[in-house]
Amino acid sequence: MEKIIGLNFNEIKLKRVDKVLPLSAVNKSVNINDCKVSVDPLLLFQRITVSKKFESNLQEYLQYELSPYPTSLFDSNGMRKTTKATLYDNMIPVDIELDENNVTYIIDGGFLLHRVVWSKDDTFSIILDKYIQYLQTHYGSEIVVVFDGYSDNSKNIKAMEQQRRTAALSKSYEVCFDETMIVPISQEKFLSNRCNKTKFIYMLVEKLKTIDITTKQARDDADVLIIETAIALSEHQKTAVIIGEDIDLLVILIGRTQSHQQEIFL
């Protein structure tokens, strides 16, 4: 339009490149931080139309780069993976002697499953015994092991994260197994299959019950149940020590702990 302002009609020359294009024909990607991001122009137009209340708002909205999703939270593969574990870098470990007669260890079952290393020729019975030996050697008898639940993965608050981890591995298959069977695949691949993990947790829980180790299983993610178990123990003047590596445990613990409660260690 700027090219024809002030010209007489007989002086106007229109070129193909000056043709007005419909939204569907516009290039559907923009460069944001040297990365091409796909854009649906119609969707953006609809969002602006719904959001703006006054004509002056339109100028404000168009000051920013247009994107179908906030690039600070998402990339082309989905939600960006945060580095929450860096919070641990700001923590100062303390060396405190605990009264072993008044300590209960609450152990994250997900942490435990990967902490014990399986050998290639082990049967599942031997592997279960290894878990018992590990717990008794490191934590004694006052133990509560809390496992994740996998009954309905679609409602799990960490379903997307679990899918992301599984996708990083080559697809694992379901194994029909009992205690006498030798593990047919690697530990990592075996536990990446939800059905395998569910059945193995059931076997491990039954094994732990035989030696009077308390177990709990959440409906989905176990983090909240772990913290609730620790808080319940602290209210009975027991020193609770949470064993796990998930930074979410620390965040939930900070949010739920009251000043009058017994100390809880992580």
Side-chain angles (χ1 to χ4, degrees):
M1 293 295 293
E2 293 179 352
K3 295 180 181 179
I4 64 176
I5 293 176
L7 297 178
N8 295 323
F9 182 77
N10 61 347
E11 296 175 331
I12 296 175
K13 295 182 179 180
L14 299 176
K15 298 181 180 180
R16 185 180 295 273
V17 294
D18 297 325
K19 181 180 178 181
V20 176
L21 299 175
L23 287 175
S24 59
V26 176
N27 185 7
K28 294 187 178 181
S29 65
V30 295
N31 287 323
I32 299 178
N33 296 329
D34 298 327
C35 295
K36 280 200 170 185
V37 178
S38 60
V39 174
D40 184 345
L42 179 59
L43 177 60
L44 290 172
F45 175 76
Q46 290 170 339
R47 287 180 177 176
I48 292 174
T49 303
V50 171
S51 300
K52 80 181 188 70
K53 297 179 180 179
F54 305 99
E55 290 300 323
S56 58
N57 294 144
L58 183 60
Q59 183 177 0
E60 178 186 350
Y61 293 152
L62 294 178
Q63 289 178 351
Y64 304 95
E65 295 214 50
L66 303 180
S67 175
Y69 51 80
T71 53
S72 59
L73 297 177
F74 299 88
D75 57 23
S76 58
N77 297 320
M79 182 173 285
R80 294 182 183 275
K81 175 63 178 174
T82 59
T83 54
K84 294 183 294 183
T86 54
L87 284 173
Y88 279 130
D89 297 336
N90 298 316
M91 303 295 172
I92 301 175
V94 294
D95 188 8
I96 298 177
E97 291 188 9
L98 300 175
D99 180 6
E100 293 295 334
N101 296 321
N102 193 43
V103 173
T104 300
Y105 294 93
I106 300 95
I107 301 172
D108 182 353
F111 162 82
L112 177 64
L113 287 177
H114 296 276
R115 194 68 174 179
V116 175
V117 179
W118 303 3
S119 298
K120 183 178 179 181
D121 297 325
D122 284 347
T123 63
F124 283 97
S125 178
I126 293 174
I127 291 172
L128 293 173
D129 289 337
K130 283 185 175 181
Y131 281 99
I132 291 175
Q133 183 180 2
Y134 176 84
L135 290 172
Q136 292 177 332
T137 301
H138 292 85
Y139 307 112
S141 58
E142 293 296 318
I143 303 170
V144 180
V145 184
V146 185
F147 292 99
D148 291 324
Y150 298 92
S151 57
D152 188 354
N153 196 49
S154 64
K155 296 180 181 179
N156 190 336
I157 59 174
K158 287 190 175 179
M160 293 305 298
E161 174 63 14
Q162 291 171 355
Q163 290 177 19
R164 185 192 65 80
R165 292 175 183 174
T166 302
L169 300 169
S170 57
K171 191 171 183 180
S172 177
Y173 52 85
E174 184 178 350
V175 178
C176 294
F177 62 95
D178 57 26
E179 291 191 22
T180 61
M181 181 179 175
I182 295 176
V183 182
I185 54 178
S186 68
Q187 178 180 2
E188 189 176 25
K189 285 187 176 181
F190 180 88
L191 293 176
S192 69
N193 183 284
R194 188 162 62 95
C195 294
N196 293 343
K197 184 182 287 188
T198 300
K199 186 175 180 181
F200 183 78
I201 289 174
Y202 174 79
M203 292 175 62
L204 181 55
V205 167
E206 293 301 311
K207 194 77 171 180
L208 294 175
K209 286 180 180 178
T210 62
I211 58 170
D212 297 325
I213 290 181
T214 304
T215 60
K216 294 184 178 182
Q217 188 164 15
R219 292 184 60 184
D220 42 65
D221 187 71
D223 291 347
V224 173
L225 183 56
I226 291 171
I227 300 304
E228 288 177 346
T229 302
I231 291 174
L233 287 169
S234 70
E235 290 176 346
H236 290 85
Q237 302 304 310
K238 295 280 289 184
T239 300
V241 179
I242 299 171
I243 307 297
E245 294 180 335
D246 194 339
I247 193 66
D248 290 341
L249 294 172
L250 175 61
V251 175
I252 299 171
L253 180 62
I254 292 172
R256 294 209 174 193
T257 304
Q258 303 295 322
S259 58
H260 67 274
Q261 291 169 338
Q262 188 82 356
E263 290 179 321
I264 299 175
F265 297 90
L266 176 62

